Amino acid sequence: MTEDRGLAAQFAQISGELMGESTEELTFDAVVKRAADTIPGCVHAGITLRRRRGRAETVAATDGLVDRLDAVQYALQEGPCLDAAFERENVVIHDVSTDRRWPRWADEARQAGVVSAMAIRLSTAEETLGALNLYGEQPHNFDGDTADIALIFAAHATEAMSKARLVTGLRTALETRHVIGIAQGVLAARYDISYERAFEVLHRYSNDHNLKLRDVARTVTETRRLPGDEPEVTA
C-alpha cells in the first residue's frame, strides 16, 4: 500500500510538471526526459507523431540513437513505433534477437545496443497523436510491473501533450487573427477600401494562389502590398 501511494505521488508530480510546460516542444522534451528517468529499464525514449498522409515524425528524443532507430523504421515502413502509432495500441519487444516481426529494424536495433523495446500508442477519445517509444539494453526490460508503469506514464504524457496542442492551436489562431487584421488595415489604407473588401481581397488571393491566408496576410504586413503582381483593387 505504501509503495502504491509513493507511486501515485510520483505520478502526480510528473503530471504537474508535464502539464506546466508552456509549448508543445517543451512538453515533448519533458516527456522523453521524464520517461527515461521514471520508467525502470528505459535508457532511451522518443515520441513519434502521426502526420498527414500516413507520415510519421520524431518530435523529441533523449539522444541521437532514438532518432537513428526511428529513421530506419520510417525508411523501411515497418517497426514497433509505426505499429503502435498506426496499427495497434501497444507493442512490446522482449528481445530483439528473437523477435522477428520486423527483422531488418531489429538488426539495426541490436547493432545499436538496444535489446528490448516498448512502443505505446498516445491517444485520446478524439484522436491518436502517435507513440511513445522506449528502448532498453537488457532483455525483458518492459515486462510485468515495468510495463504497467510505462502505460500509466504514457497516459499522463498523452494528457499533457493534448493540452499543449490545444494551447498551441489557440495561440496560433489568435496570432493569425491579429496578422489578418493588420493586413486588412494595410490594404484598406493603401487602396481606400473597406475592411470587409480588404478581407475579400486577401481571401481571393489566398485561393487563387493556393496559399494559406495567414501567409498572405503576413506578407502584406511586411511588404505593405500583396505578393507578386498586385491585382486591381476597386472600391
Side-chain angles (χ1 to χ4, degrees):
M1 181 68 70
T2 301
E3 184 178 350
D4 290 341
R5 288 179 179 175
L7 191 61
Q10 182 182 12
F11 275 115
Q13 179 182 353
I14 290 171
S15 179
E17 292 175 1
L18 297 181
M19 295 289 284
E21 297 295 350
S22 58
T23 68
E24 279 190 284
E25 290 75 15
L26 291 175
T27 301
F28 297 153
D29 289 340
V31 165
V32 297
K33 182 179 183 301
R34 287 302 256 147
D37 292 341
T38 304
I39 301 170
C42 177
V43 181
H44 316 277
I47 296 173
T48 294
L49 285 192
R50 290 168 44 146
R51 297 303 193 190
R52 293 180 179 178
R53 299 176 183 176
R55 293 190 306 108
E57 179 186 3
T58 301
V59 295
T62 52
D63 49 70
L65 181 146
V66 175
D67 288 315
R68 187 163 74 252
L69 291 183
D70 286 355
V72 171
Q73 294 186 68
Y74 304 155
L76 296 175
Q77 286 295 295
E78 66 174 38
C81 82
L82 293 180
D83 270 27
F86 292 95
E87 300 296 334
R88 57 184 68 124
E89 286 191 2
N90 306 309
V91 176
V92 176
I93 301 176
H94 302 295
D95 191 331
V96 297
S97 64
T98 58
D99 191 306
R100 307 312 296 170
R101 283 174 289 182
W102 314 279
R104 293 179 293 175
W105 177 83
D107 289 341
E108 293 282 349
R110 186 174 61 254
Q111 292 175 25
V114 168
V115 179
S116 56
M118 185 173 186
I120 307 170
R121 174 170 286 195
L122 301 171
S123 62
T124 67
E126 292 76 28
E127 62 177 338
T128 296
L129 304 177
L132 174 65
N133 310 312
L134 313 173
Y135 301 108
E137 296 178 346
Q138 300 295 327
H140 298 276
N141 267 150
F142 305 106
D143 293 354
D145 291 344
T146 298
D148 292 338
I149 291 173
L151 292 172
I152 295 171
F153 178 89
H156 287 287
T158 301
E159 184 179 3
M161 290 169 57
S162 181
K163 175 251 184 184
R165 172 173 288 191
L166 175 61
V167 170
T168 297
L170 292 173
R171 184 181 295 119
T172 299
L174 288 173
E175 291 173 353
T176 297
R177 182 176 178 180
H178 179 66
V179 171
I180 291 174
I182 294 175
Q184 286 179 262
V186 169
L187 294 182
R190 182 180 179 91
Y191 299 110
D192 191 24
I193 59 177
S194 68
Y195 267 57
E196 290 76 12
R197 177 63 175 137
F199 180 81
E200 292 174 6
V201 171
L202 290 168
H203 191 265
R204 186 178 70 234
Y205 192 96
S206 170
N207 287 339
D208 290 348
H209 294 81
N210 195 28
L211 297 170
K212 292 182 179 179
L213 183 59
R214 67 171 179 268
D215 292 337
V216 177
R218 187 172 293 110
T219 299
V220 169
T221 62
E222 292 172 352
T223 65
R224 320 306 289 180
R225 62 181 179 83
L226 286 169
D229 293 333
E230 297 179 27
E232 181 180 354
V233 181
T234 58

